[in-house]
Amino acid sequence: MACALKLSGNTAAERLAVATALEGRFPTTVGLLERGEICYLQAKAVTEVTGTLDPEAAGRVEAMVLPKMPGQSVGQTRRALNRAVLRADPLGAEVRHRRRREDRTIWHRATEDGMATWTAFLPTPQAAQLDAAVDAHAATFGDDGRTLNQKRVDALYDLVVNRPAGDATPGGRSAAVVHDGVPRHVDRGG
């Protein structure tokens, strides 16, 4: 399927999982999608936000959100879904959090010109602590022409890779060597 659609294997697998979830649990959402009343990203949001709910609660969420979805943006749909999940299963919030917490992960994706996107999926309190630590370290950099975002990226790298001397690498793992794929001119002196 990935070859036929000219998609990466991961993207094809993700779309197949979304299609399977939609067809199995959300036939009304599929109908809106087929008629072009909502976009794929809205339908995908339905499957993602309700992924940890039992089928009955997921159906209640769909019924609450569907009437307004055609007039909403993807972000509005996602917010409405999150509110509906709390109404449909208010006592399950802790169980859902534990399930989502099991999915925490880090990944990166190479982009153009030797750059990459680095992403972490983690609990909100940990993300806030990471942000605070990055901001605090970035604030130690002087006024050297870098933008705040550039300083934040450099601070994150420093905190993860350039730990102060004497800080052992957790778990005894050694640092990885990464080649960025950007060709460099080497001056051989002559």
Side-chain angles (χ1 to χ4, degrees), residues 95-157:
V95 171
R96 287 191 305 275
H97 175 70
R98 280 197 309 272
R99 285 183 189 156
R100 291 280 194 208
R101 200 176 148 78
E102 292 173 6
D103 295 335
R104 60 192 185 276
T105 188
I106 293 176
W107 68 96
H108 75 277
R109 179 179 62 86
T111 62
E112 297 79 29
D113 302 321
M115 299 300 286
T117 300
W118 188 83
T119 306
F121 180 72
L122 67 161
T124 302
Q126 288 179 346
Q129 289 176 317
L130 285 172
D131 257 356
V134 166
D135 287 344
H137 190 56
T140 67
F141 299 149
D143 186 13
D144 58 6
R146 288 181 285 179
T147 66
L148 177 59
N149 279 332
Q150 291 167 342
K151 289 178 182 181
R152 292 186 83 238
V153 169
D154 295 345
L156 175 62
Y157 182 81

